[in-house]
Every structure is written in structure tokens, then in C-alpha cells.
């Protein structure tokens, strides 16, 4: 697995609660998740690829962007 070109810098990801979306080439949402701490949750996707669930690996291989929205609570 090559480096994920859409991986944001850790410092760019807020630590607030929020929802995140992995997006494909066509702008289609592949996955929506929620987190108490967006930074902690999103950086878990960009660790050791082989340790991720197969379904998560496929999502990341298809994704070309990740977007998030900050919310008041998880």
C-alpha cells in the first residue's frame, strides 16, 4: 500500500467531536463515522495499514479525500 495522498497533517485535524467522511474520485461518500475526538479517530486510520480490518483497507484504497464537520457532541 502506497502512502495515502489525501492524508491530512495531524495538526490540521481538530480535536473536537465531529463526523468524518471518506470520499472517492467521483465525490461519492464511501464511509461516514463519528468521533469524540476527530484527531484521535482519524489518525488511527493512517497507522499500520496491515493491522486495519480488510473492509477498512478497501475503503482507504478507494478514498481520495477525507472531510470532517465539527459538532457539539459525539
Amino acid at each position: 500500500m502506497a502512502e495515502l495522498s489525501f492524508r491530512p497533517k495531524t495538526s490540521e485535524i481538530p480535536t473536537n467531536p465531529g463526523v468524518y467522511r471518506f470520499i472517492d474520485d467521483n465525490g461519492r461518500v464511501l464511509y461516514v463515522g463519528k468521533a469524540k475526538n476527530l484527531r484521535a479517530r482519524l489518525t488511527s486510520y493512517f497507522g499500520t495499514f496491515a493491522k486495519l480490518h480488510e473492509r477498512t483497507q478497501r475503503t482507504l484504497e478507494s478514498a481520495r479525500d477525507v472531510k470532517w464537520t465539527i459538532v457539539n457532541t459525539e
Side-chain angles (χ1 to χ4, degrees), residues 5-6 22-25 30 59-66:
S5 62
F6 66 90
F22 286 107
I23 313 290
D24 73 5
D25 278 335
L30 299 172
T59 298
L60 291 176
E61 287 173 336
S62 298
R64 295 298 175 261
D65 197 9
V66 60

Side-chain angles (χ1 to χ4, degrees), residues 1-64:
M1 171 79 197
E3 181 69 22
L4 299 170
S5 62
F6 66 90
R7 178 184 179 168
K9 292 180 182 176
T10 301
S11 61
E12 295 174 346
I13 306 171
T15 57
N16 307 68
V19 295
Y20 57 93
R21 299 163 310 282
F22 286 107
I23 313 290
D24 73 5
D25 278 335
N26 299 314
R28 185 176 64 134
V29 176
L30 299 172
Y31 181 79
V32 176
K34 64 180 183 172
K36 290 180 183 178
N37 179 324
L38 285 165
R39 183 179 298 167
R41 184 65 187 111
L42 287 173
T43 56
S44 72
Y45 285 107
F46 302 114
T48 305
F49 189 78
K51 291 184 178 181
L52 297 173
H53 188 280
E54 183 181 334
R55 180 177 54 238
T56 304
Q57 290 178 1
R58 286 194 309 267
T59 298
L60 291 176
E61 287 173 336
S62 298
R64 295 298 175 261

